[in-house]
Amino acid sequence: MERTELKSLDVDVINFILQNNTATIEDLCNCFEVSQVNIRNVLARVEEFVRENNLGILIKENTDYFFENNILNLDFDYTKYQTQNIEKRERIVYIFFKLIFEKSINLSKISRELDISRVTLNGDIDTIKEYIKKFDLKLLSVQWKGIFLEGDPYKLEKFSILFLTSLFLQGYFTSNLKKVVNPLVFKHYRRFIDEETDQKITALTNKFYNYFNIQLGSNYYYMLKALIVFIHHESKQEKTYKPSNYKPAVDMTETIYGILTEDEKELLGDNTLFLTAYFSQCVYEKYIPIYSFDMKGLLKEFFSTFNLQKLENTHEIANELAVFVNNTYFQNKFLIPAYTKYSAEIEEKLNRKTSKAIMSLFDKYGIPYRKLDIIFMYHYIKELVTDSRKQNVLIIGNGSLNWKSKMLRNKIINFEIINDVDLISYFNFKFYFEKYYNEEKYKTYVFIDIPYEKSNNYENKNCIFINSYDLMIGTLDLHEMFSFDNL
């Protein structure tokens, strides 16, 4: 009987379910942006794979899919289940890996190794050529020598380190599921980094990370580990890199060597420039401007667009924003999947003014993003700004009893953006106009049944005009009218 083989998307779906405990077909379609037919096929294949190999049981209950007791046995011998037909996505990862670690590839050898035709391989190479344009790199073919990555040395090294970081984050060297769908990457990693050396590199990464108290999350941790792997590999090739266009903000060479044992110094050799750059930014800037966009310019525009400069802890906010933007850029630039649930209903937030402003800034600075990134950033900005933007509202009614104004006040008084609501008749508003207009207490005026006031210009005030009939029959979207985006 032919055994079930896992594919890359299957592994992503397994990881999604394990991370979130449960998943619906809609959850998976939204996350991976594929059709329901595709997801149903994936779930059927996952169910069969875990069942026939006694790894666990995938259960469907109503619309939810989950593993029994939320447990899957991932401690297995991946060589028994490894895929024979490696998909294009995984073939490209492997080709990149060889280009970085072996510096060149031979198409005939790669074709035989992957058991694919030259036509198929040429298609993979075309995809790689198109992808690396985003990094100002290209492929160079030299007769009898093979194909090489070509570009500015600093950009080449930076791409190599970031690509290796992405492999660590996706578990190519630690997850048995990843080893099943792409056994070649781990096999070749072990050719260059044996298990003992790998353990030493992990220990040194932990030592550095704790010594400098970095605390910037998994992306920065694995970037540090990738740096050390890259430095160790290059030192074995007896290469020392000195990028001409980059100098660390602070020279920390002495500090770095001061905490190293002799074995650790041997591990790194003399190539510490990138480590110095990494630590000088993590320690003094709290984020790494390693990507090809103007982080300081972007942060400045974030602060001015959303009036964040008025808040407390602006330095902390800037660091949080920088870490989020760097992570967004990195994950989307290197196509790293995010296993996060979100419903299709919250997509309506993408059409809000704040979300559009975030997307406009990301587009301006060349930050690739997913819908989920914008929604997260929307809520982050909203939480920061809401308390500082809570407003006192003055409702101006066209009558002396103010019963319509009272009805409106009762409906909006507990809204998130509202601090307090006062009522006044239109006559008193106009009679004591100077007093109320110059009163800084009120940021928003609401006029009920007074459309002719639209021709007046009240500078520095938000003006809302309401028809009482619409108010009474309930056709007004008051939550939208008095929302974070519109006030």
Side-chain angles (χ1 to χ4, degrees):
M1 181 173 130
E2 189 175 340
R3 64 184 178 86
T4 304
E5 285 196 351
L6 283 186
K7 300 179 181 294
S8 293
L9 183 57
D10 304 349
V11 172
D12 287 334
V13 166
I14 290 171
N15 287 331
F16 185 101
I17 296 173
L18 288 173
Q19 182 168 308
N20 295 283
N21 297 325
T22 66
T24 64
I25 288 177
E26 183 184 12
D27 290 333
L28 297 169
C29 290
N30 289 337
C31 181
F32 301 113
E33 298 183 355
V34 296
S35 69
Q36 288 197 10
V37 172
N38 199 344
I39 288 297
R40 289 183 193 280
N41 289 336
V42 168
L43 289 167
R45 194 160 48 245
V46 168
E47 180 181 17
E48 185 66 19
F49 179 83
V50 299
R51 183 194 60 77
E52 69 185 29
N53 295 304
N54 298 315
L55 303 180
I57 300 174
L58 180 66
I59 298 173
K60 181 186 178 186
E61 191 172 284
N62 298 321
T63 60
D64 289 325
Y65 288 83
F66 55 93
F67 293 109
E68 187 177 47
N69 300 319
N70 196 36
I71 292 175
L72 200 61
N73 175 24
L74 299 178
D75 185 19
F76 57 85
D77 181 0
Y78 77 92
T79 60
K80 294 180 179 179
Y81 313 114
Q82 60 190 35
T83 299
Q84 301 301 313
N85 301 306
I86 298 178
E87 298 171 89
K88 178 170 184 171
R89 167 180 163 185
E90 301 300 339
R91 294 197 303 267
I92 288 172
V93 169
Y94 177 60
I95 292 169
F96 269 130
F97 184 86
K98 286 181 74 72
L99 282 167
I100 289 168
F101 274 80
E102 297 182 4
K103 306 306 178 188
S104 68
I105 57 170
N106 178 286
L107 293 184
S108 296
K109 288 182 179 178
I110 289 280
S111 177
R112 291 194 297 271
E113 195 173 8
L114 293 173
D115 193 23
I116 56 175
S117 69
R118 285 294 295 270
V119 173
T120 300
L121 181 56
N122 288 338
D124 294 347
I125 295 297
D126 288 340
T127 301
I128 289 171
K129 286 179 179 177
E130 191 63 31
Y131 177 71
I132 60 177
K133 285 180 183 178
K134 298 184 290 185
F135 300 90
D136 295 325
L137 302 175
K138 60 183 181 180
L139 290 180
L140 174 67
S141 179
V142 179
Q143 192 172 16
W144 310 118
K145 291 187 177 181
I147 293 178
F148 305 78
L149 275 175
E150 184 182 48
D152 175 81
Y154 177 57
K155 292 179 180 179
L156 268 171
E157 293 145 19
K158 185 169 69 170
F159 173 80
S160 300
I161 292 163
L162 293 177
F163 178 77
L164 190 54
T165 303
S166 75
L167 298 188
F168 279 123
L169 282 166
Q170 294 177 81
Y172 274 92
F173 311 128
T174 53
S175 166
N176 280 332
L177 291 174
K178 273 295 183 186
K179 294 174 189 175
V180 165
V181 296
N182 197 335
L184 292 176
V185 167
F186 179 69
K187 175 183 175 183
H188 277 70
Y189 179 71
R190 276 287 175 260
R191 278 184 55 199
F192 299 103
I193 308 293
D194 60 44
E195 188 171 355
E196 182 181 356
T197 303
D198 205 8
Q199 290 172 355
K200 289 179 180 179
I201 288 172
T202 300
L204 182 55
T205 304
N206 295 339
K207 181 177 181 177
F208 276 141
Y209 209 75
N210 291 325
Y211 180 86
F212 291 105
N213 194 30
I214 296 170
Q215 297 183 12
L216 290 175
S218 60
N219 282 19
Y220 289 84
Y221 174 86
Y222 285 113
M223 189 184 297
L224 175 56
K225 184 169 183 178
L227 271 167
I228 297 173
V229 168
F230 182 79
I231 290 169
H232 172 71
H233 177 64
E234 298 305 299
S235 69
K236 287 172 65 178
Q237 312 301 313
E238 297 183 350
K239 293 181 179 178
T240 301
Y241 285 87
K242 297 180 179 178
S244 58
N245 64 338
Y246 184 79
K247 291 183 179 180
V250 180
D251 187 354
M252 301 182 71
T253 305
E254 269 190 51
T255 306
I256 292 170
Y257 274 115
I259 64 173
L260 295 177
T261 66
E262 291 305 315
D263 282 348
E264 291 165 344
K265 289 176 184 176
E266 186 179 343
L267 199 66
L268 296 175
D270 295 324
N271 297 326
T272 59
L273 183 62
F274 280 107
L275 279 176
T276 299
Y278 176 92
F279 291 125
S280 68
Q281 294 298 334
C282 283
V283 173
Y284 293 100
E285 298 290 342
K286 299 300 182 186
Y287 59 86
I288 305 176
I290 195 170
Y291 308 116
S292 55
F293 63 89
D294 180 8
M295 175 65 82
K296 289 185 178 179
L298 176 60
L299 292 179
K300 185 177 179 181
E301 289 209 44
F302 258 112
F303 272 77
S304 62
T305 301
F306 301 109
N307 295 315
L308 302 181
Q309 64 272 14
K310 297 178 181 179
L311 303 179
E312 297 178 359
N313 305 320
T314 53
H315 183 69
E316 182 180 337
I317 291 169
N319 288 333
E320 288 176 351
L321 280 170
V323 170
F324 179 85
V325 171
N326 270 342
N327 289 350
T328 298
Y329 181 93
F330 177 66
Q331 289 182 337
N332 289 290
K333 199 82 168 177
F334 284 89
L335 311 177
I336 299 173
Y339 305 125
T340 308
K341 278 189 179 184
Y342 77 99
S343 63
E345 288 78 26
I346 66 176
E347 283 198 31
E348 58 89 15
K349 291 184 172 64
L350 294 171
N351 293 318
R352 297 192 176 181
K353 186 166 61 176
T354 300
S355 297
K356 289 181 178 178
I358 295 167
M359 287 188 278
S360 177
L361 287 174
F362 278 5
D363 289 338
K364 179 178 178 180
Y365 284 86
I367 314 294
Y369 57 84
R370 290 172 279 212
K371 294 175 182 177
L372 194 59
D373 300 318
I374 302 303
I375 291 166
F376 278 155
M377 182 63 87
Y378 169 87
H379 284 288
Y380 175 77
I381 296 290
K382 182 172 178 287
E383 287 297 319
L384 282 178
V385 177
T386 295
D387 285 341
S388 68
R389 284 181 57 183
K390 277 184 176 289
Q391 297 195 13
N392 295 316
V393 175
L394 182 64
I395 299 177
I396 305 147
N398 196 1
S400 56
L401 295 177
N402 283 340
W403 66 272
K404 298 170 186 174
S405 300
K406 290 175 182 175
M407 177 189 293
L408 178 60
R409 179 177 63 184
N410 291 339
K411 288 178 178 291
I412 69 172
I413 189 65
N414 293 318
F415 283 8
E416 189 176 28
I417 198 72
I418 303 296
N419 184 52
D420 197 12
V421 180
D422 290 331
L423 313 179
I424 190 173
S425 69
Y426 181 59
F427 175 83
N428 284 339
F429 173 75
K430 298 300 283 188
F431 192 83
Y432 299 108
F433 175 74
E434 292 298 327
K435 172 187 173 183
Y436 284 102
Y437 183 68
N438 294 323
E439 174 61 73
E440 293 186 2
K441 176 181 178 182
Y442 303 107
K443 294 295 184 185
T444 298
Y445 292 159
V446 182
F447 296 93
I448 300 180
D449 292 335
I450 314 173
Y452 37 85
E453 276 293 326
K454 290 181 181 179
S455 61
N456 290 324
N457 181 24
Y458 297 102
E459 291 186 10
N460 302 318
K461 304 289 184 183
N462 299 312
C463 293
I464 297 174
F465 298 89
I466 285 179
N467 181 287
S468 60
Y469 178 75
D470 294 330
L471 176 64
M472 286 186 289
I473 66 174
T475 57
L476 295 175
D477 188 349
L478 295 175
H479 281 279
E480 178 65 19
M481 217 174 265
F482 294 90
S483 70
F484 164 74
D485 291 285
N486 291 325
L487 290 186

